[in-house]
Every structure is written in C-alpha cells, then in structure tokens.
Amino acid sequence: MTYALDLAPLAKDWTHVTGDGLRLGLTTRYGSRVFDQFFEAYDKAFVLPAEKEERSGFQAALDLNHGEPYQRLSRRFGPFREVCLTVHDGEQFVGGANFFATICSAADGTPAPTSSLNYIFVEQGTRGKGYLKRIITAIQALVPCLFKADEPLAQGLMFVEQNDPFRMTPEQYGLDTKVSGIDQFDRLSIWGRAGARIVDHVYVQPPLSADQEADDTLALSVIGASGASISACVLRDHLVRFFAISVLKGIEELDEDGALAQLQSLSTRCAADQEVGLFDQLPMLTEANAFGDKFDFWIDDRPLSLVTALKQFAKGY
C-alpha cells in the first residue's frame, strides 16, 4: 500500500463536524484564527513549565508542515502532520487540542496511523459533560483521514502523556491540581475511563526548547490498543518521529540523551520481537480512592513511579 499526506487542507484552516455535532476548527498554520483561539485557552489551562509549549514552540512545530522543512523531514520519516484545533458545541467554545500524527508500520507490515495527543483541554465551565471522550473520539476518527492511501486506513494508536503523581514534586502536584481543579489521581481515572492504559515504559519527554529541561514527571499511556500489549517496534517508530518532529522541532538525527536511551531500549526489544505491556490503572485507583490522601494506599512502601505502583498492584500489593 502506498500513502502520502493529503495536502489539500494545509494552505488554510478547515472545519470538521463530528457525527455527534461537535464542530472542530483545525489548522496546521501558526498565527491563524484557529491557532490564536486555541493558544489563548491553552495558555490558561497548562501551567507546569516543563510541560508547556510557548508560542514560539508551536510556531516551530507548525512550520514543519510546509515547504522545504516538510519535504526534508518526510523523506526521512514519512508523512506527518502537526495540528491545532478548537472545539465548539453549537456556539459555545468547549475546548481544544494539539496533536501530532504520522504513519508507522504495524507488526504485519501494513501502514498504521499513530498519533500523540500533546495537549487537550476542556473549558472549566463545560467539564463533567463528556466532552473529553467526545473530542478524543473525534481526533481518533480524523487522523486516518489526514493521509491518502490506496485503501482506507484503520484507526491507529493514540499516545498520551500523563502526569505521574509519584514522580511529581509536591509543589508540581499542588500547582497543577489547583489550576486545573482536578486531583492528579482523579485525572488518571478520567483518562482510564476514556480508554487510556499505561504503557510499561520508562518515559521521559525531551526538552521542548533550549530553555527547558527534560520532563521526567510523566507516564506514557495509549488509547486504541486491542490487546494487553503493543509492538515495541511500533512504539519505537512512533517515538522516533514524535521526538524528532513535534518535540525537538525538526531534528533528523537525535542526540538528546533521554530520547536515545528510550529508543535504544525499544530497538533491543523490537529486534527480539517483543511486546510492551499495558496496565489498566482503574482497579488500583479505585482502591486508592478509599483513602483521604491517596498516597496513604502506599504508606508502607511508596513507589517511585506510576508504572512501579501498577506492577506492585498486579503482584498483589
């Protein structure tokens, strides 16, 4: 099967109306009307310095969709898109998102769309009404449509970075919870109910810019996996593209230590035809919710990371 980027919408903003009536305004261009509305709301929703992309970072990433940068990177990595979007329900603005989409090869060699949901937010006044899952579902359906192919592409894996309560400092935990109005463990439960499962992988996001540090307070989750594991090869191939294009803004040869260590580990597992396990976080979080301070669930042996906690729980902690 051959496939390429559908270039038609790249020169302008475009609108997509979902089957359940949400209106998505989409753009691949910095400074467009859709981008400006997205960024204004995004800037209020995200507060932790290591996780936050500045306007210049979005500009650098979105500019890679066009011209010589796109031609150069697509020769190396294949077709991709960096997209910002706004979401309206009727006339009401309810949220927005930024995602990266590309094509990887599935275990059987067929092309598989994959995406990273970099940022997604629901406006405070509209939370608790099911918009998060509706927006996720809309993006999942949209991603395959971004690419032309001889045959229709199936929905692929969507990767999502999650705050790891065990790796965050108390200050980070408190600030994010205060601004978002959502406890970190409760957010993991919300994502679990939206279909996300935690990937058994030691994840570190490379620095978003020269002025920022790598972010080791995150866990990686995935939506759309049909089994209890995913291919190490698919995860490696997606992260290569995601790190090089969306995070590091067009670096063809990765030299960031944290990224290289992850990719080398996944390459070893890929060569051995190994899978990467997935955890359903909801059973553990349900038990932790019985405690006023959820960390008290691990009061005798607090894990160093969410993945470690899930491994302990699976063994009957």
Side-chain angles (χ1 to χ4, degrees), residues 83-300:
V83 178
C84 291
L85 63 89
T86 58
V87 185
H88 287 79
D89 190 357
E91 295 302 313
Q92 185 175 29
F93 176 69
V94 298
N98 161 240
F99 68 90
F100 167 79
T102 189
I103 299 283
C104 295
S105 293
D108 61 1
T110 59
T114 58
S115 60
S116 281
L117 186 53
N118 298 337
Y119 301 101
I120 184 170
F121 58 90
V122 176
E123 289 284 272
Q124 285 205 6
T126 62
R127 291 176 183 168
K129 300 180 180 180
Y131 283 119
L132 177 68
K133 192 164 186 178
R134 290 171 67 186
I135 297 170
I136 292 169
T137 299
I139 295 173
Q140 285 181 288
L142 182 66
V143 166
C145 302
L146 298 176
F147 304 98
K148 290 181 177 178
D150 297 337
E151 301 175 10
L153 294 168
Q155 289 187 17
L157 301 176
M158 173 186 284
F159 294 97
V160 187
E161 295 168 340
Q162 306 271 277
N163 286 343
D164 184 334
F166 299 96
R167 300 170 83 181
M168 301 172 80
T169 66
E171 293 76 19
Q172 290 171 325
Y173 190 112
L175 176 61
D176 193 88
T177 299
K178 178 181 178 180
V179 173
S180 67
I182 304 172
D183 175 77
Q184 304 305 309
F185 286 102
D186 292 342
R187 178 181 285 133
L188 288 169
S189 295
I190 290 169
W191 279 100
R193 291 192 293 272
R197 286 181 285 170
I198 303 300
V199 181
D200 185 4
H201 172 70
V202 180
Y203 183 73
V204 179
Q205 182 198 71
L208 291 170
S209 71
D211 299 325
Q212 292 170 275
E213 301 290 333
D215 192 347
D216 62 358
T217 67
L218 302 171
L220 188 65
S221 65
V222 65
I223 298 173
S226 59
S229 61
I230 58 175
S231 163
C233 301
V234 171
L235 178 56
R236 178 203 60 188
D237 292 350
H238 177 79
L239 289 181
V240 165
R241 292 158 172 79
F242 172 60
F243 288 162
I245 298 170
S246 192
V247 178
L248 298 174
K249 313 302 187 291
I251 301 297
E252 290 188 57
E253 298 300 327
L254 292 170
D255 60 2
E256 201 278 325
D257 290 344
L260 286 175
Q262 294 177 74
L263 298 175
Q264 288 168 356
S265 172
L266 289 169
S267 290
T268 299
R269 299 178 73 173
C270 174
D273 198 27
Q274 293 179 353
E275 297 272 304
V276 179
L278 305 175
F279 295 104
D280 178 359
Q281 65 267 37
L282 288 176
M284 181 185 77
L285 294 173
T286 298
E287 293 198 21
N289 278 336
F291 294 80
D293 181 342
K294 297 179 181 65
F295 282 117
D296 286 348
F297 182 58
W298 300 274
I299 195 167
D300 295 326

Side-chain angles (χ1 to χ4, degrees), residues 65-76:
N65 285 308
H66 309 278
E68 186 281 330
Y70 179 79
Q71 297 301 324
R72 172 176 57 84
L73 292 167
S74 62
R75 284 194 295 268
R76 171 73 172 80

